[in-house]
């Protein structure tokens, strides 16, 4: 089912509620924003609405967290990047907010207070239920249209994400549209062979992705790295040493070993595990085959031999989807695997990267422009790759059905 786009809305001179995801790392002492990547990703959508009254709804963190704060600094940062005024409103839907929106003119950009200051926004609920919330009723009464550009929260079922599209004519912003269309291409139309590289510490999500893409013929091969690889080593009967085994227990991933065994039993010829690893031994990097990992050393990276073999596989791929690092890349001694695999992935015809840590590494390496697409949403991206419909996308489809 289609979703509406900015081209469908005709919102010149109108008031548009624009849902962004500006949730960013913040210095807990100074409240300075440490990374403005998400701000930059939303600029094209804001500029495309330059002849509308734009009312931004966004959030920072969640209740109980140290970085749960007001959006004054966010409005200042956006103003700096946009090169035109952004007015911070210290209210979400109170009289102050309503009066500011009413007084605004086409071309004005307003940013409402952190929407998660409203208790209802922190609840997961069905769209019909979300539509009836006080938050959605008050916000929808303030504008003509709703535009959702917040792909980073697309996997959430919160009122502004799933309720507003049912309350008013809605569309995807340019970033949301790009994310959905590019990630959809992974499922059909991506150049073959398709290789998924699944790493990092989110083992349960990665195993769900691996099962889905292998069962449905979406990926030709799946390379497992990082903690994901350690779970597959255990599933294949290898002893990965006490520190790495304990880490899997601490992360409560013992149940994933059985799922990894099922994947290996069914698709073992299409799952590639690094044949050797780098460990920390006596404070230094040392390399061992996976059947001879010393009992008291933690696995920290791929070995150089394993890296060479995996790079060779990537070079033969038409599409690479990369999610999660190969090891403890923050330590220069163990960053090689992650860095070199990313460099190899950037050279294929169609390359997609999940958000989070991997995107941060790419920026550090200065190779962002070499990738076809770097997703802005780690959780949303990986959920999309498991084949699940994202609540935000479903809500936009429903809005298109209801309002055209």
């Amino acid at each position: 089912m289609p979703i509406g786009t900015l081209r469908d809305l005709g919102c010149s001179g109108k008031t548009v509620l624009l849902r962004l995801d500006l949730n960013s790392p913040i210095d807990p002492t100074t409240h300075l924003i440490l990374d403005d990547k998400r701000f930059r990703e939303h600029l094209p959508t804001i500029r495309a609405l330059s002849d509308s009254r734009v009312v931004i709804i966004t959030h920072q963190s969640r209740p109980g967290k140290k970085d749960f704060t007001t959006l004054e600094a966010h409005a200042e940062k956006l103003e700096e990047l946009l090169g035109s005024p952004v007015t911070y409103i210290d209210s979400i839907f109170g009289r102050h907010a309503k009066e500011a929106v009413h007084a605004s003119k086409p071309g004005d950009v307003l940013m409402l207070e952190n929407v998660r200051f409203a208790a209802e926004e922190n609840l997961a609920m069905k769209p019909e239920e979300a539509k009836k919330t006080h938050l959605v009723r008050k916000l929808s009464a303030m504008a003509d249209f709703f535009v959702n550009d917040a792909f980073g929260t697309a996997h959430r079922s919160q009122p502004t994400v799933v309720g507003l599209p049912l309350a008013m004519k809605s569309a995807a912003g340019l970033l949301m549209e790009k994310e959905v269309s590019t990630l959809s291409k992974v499922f059909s139309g991506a150049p073959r062979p398709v290789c998924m590289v699944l790493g990092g510490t989110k083992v349960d999500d990665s195993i769900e992705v691996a099962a889905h893409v292998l069962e449905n013929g979406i990926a030709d091969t799946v390379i497992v790295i990082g903690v994901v690889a350690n779970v597959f080593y255990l599933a294949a009967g290898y002893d990965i040493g006490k520190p790495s085994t304990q880490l899997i227990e601490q992360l409560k991933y013992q149940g994933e070993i059985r799922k990894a065994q099922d994947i290996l039993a069914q698709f073992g010829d299409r799952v590639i595990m690094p044949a050797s690893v780098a460990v920390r031994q006596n404070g230094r990097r040392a390399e061992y085959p996976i059947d001879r990992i010393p009992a008291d050393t933690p696995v920290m990276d791929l070995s150089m031999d394993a890296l060479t073999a995996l790079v060779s596989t990537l070079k033969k791929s038409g599409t690479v989807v990369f999610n999660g690092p190969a090891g403890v890349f923050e330590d220069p001694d163990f960053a090689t695997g992650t860095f070199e695999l990313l460099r190899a992935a950037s050279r294929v015809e169609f390359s997609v990267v999940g958000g989070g840590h991997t995107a941060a590494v790419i920026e550090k390496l200065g190779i962002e422009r070499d990738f076809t697409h770097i997703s802005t949403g780690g959780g949303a991206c990986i959920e999309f790759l498991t084949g699940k419909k994202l609540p935000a996308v479903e809500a936009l489809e429903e809005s298109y059905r209801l309002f055209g």
Side-chain angles (χ1 to χ4, degrees), residues 56-308:
I56 294 170
I57 305 167
T58 187
H59 69 279
Q60 171 63 41
S61 193
R62 61 170 73 96
K65 297 270 188 175
K66 285 181 182 172
D67 57 349
F68 186 53
T69 183
T70 70
L71 298 183
E72 200 163 0
H74 294 65
E76 287 171 11
K77 174 59 72 176
L78 186 60
E79 178 172 294
E80 176 195 319
L81 294 167
L82 198 58
S84 56
V86 174
T87 307
Y88 163 66
I89 310 296
D90 64 351
S91 166
I92 302 168
F93 52 71
R95 192 168 75 182
H96 177 40
K98 280 191 281 190
E99 286 173 356
V101 173
H102 185 69
S104 66
K105 301 177 185 67
D108 288 353
V109 178
L110 279 58
M111 184 182 292
L112 301 179
E113 185 54 282
N114 188 340
V115 73
R116 288 186 179 170
F117 282 8
E120 287 174 322
E121 180 68 1
N122 298 292
L123 303 171
M125 51 180 78
K126 291 187 169 68
E128 280 298 339
E129 191 186 350
K131 180 187 169 185
K132 294 171 189 165
T133 58
H134 193 60
L135 177 62
V136 167
R137 283 190 286 116
K138 291 283 187 181
L139 284 172
S140 59
M142 285 160 49
D144 302 299
F145 300 116
F146 173 62
V147 171
N148 191 349
D149 207 35
F151 183 75
T153 54
H155 58 314
R156 307 278 182 212
S157 300
Q158 291 163 335
T160 60
V161 178
V162 299
L164 282 170
L166 269 63
M168 59 203 303
K169 186 168 182 173
S170 305
L174 299 178
L175 176 63
M176 177 74 82
E177 189 186 350
K178 184 175 87 168
E179 290 272 13
V180 172
S181 64
T182 309
L183 292 174
S184 296
K185 191 180 172 185
V186 173
F187 296 123
S188 60
R192 309 298 294 214
V194 175
C195 178
M196 291 258 180
V197 184
L198 301 172
T201 57
K202 288 187 177 173
V203 175
D204 47 352
D205 290 337
S206 293
I207 283 182
E208 207 173 333
V209 172
H212 178 70
V213 298
L214 290 167
E215 281 165 12
N216 293 282
I218 294 158
D220 299 285
T221 53
V222 169
I223 292 174
V224 290
I225 52 177
V227 181
V228 181
N230 288 348
V231 168
F232 274 85
Y233 291 146
L234 290 173
Y238 294 106
D239 183 349
I240 59 171
K242 196 173 174 184
S244 298
T245 305
Q246 283 178 337
L247 176 64
I248 287 163
E249 288 166 6
Q250 283 165 19
L251 296 170
K252 298 186 167 52
Y253 284 144
Q254 299 99 311
E256 300 302 316
I257 297 168
R258 175 80 235 177
K259 293 177 190 172
Q261 284 173 334
D262 292 342
I263 290 171
L264 288 173
Q266 248 185 307
F267 307 106
D269 58 329
R270 289 163 60 196
V271 176
I272 300 173
M273 297 183 282
S276 48
V277 296
V279 301
R280 178 178 277 133
Q281 192 172 38
N282 301 323
R284 299 178 65 179
R285 181 183 174 107
E287 300 189 350
Y288 290 93
I290 53 174
D291 58 354
R292 292 208 295 277
I293 298 170
D296 57 346
T297 63
V299 175
M300 304 286 279
D301 192 15
L302 312 169
S303 74
M304 297 311 288
D305 285 349
L307 178 59
T308 303

Side-chain angles (χ1 to χ4, degrees), residues 370-390:
D370 299 332
F371 285 89
T372 308
H373 182 65
I374 300 171
S375 181
T376 54
C381 175
I382 205 159
E383 194 151 316
F384 195 100
L385 295 173
T386 62
K388 293 175 186 164
K389 260 287 175 66
L390 299 178

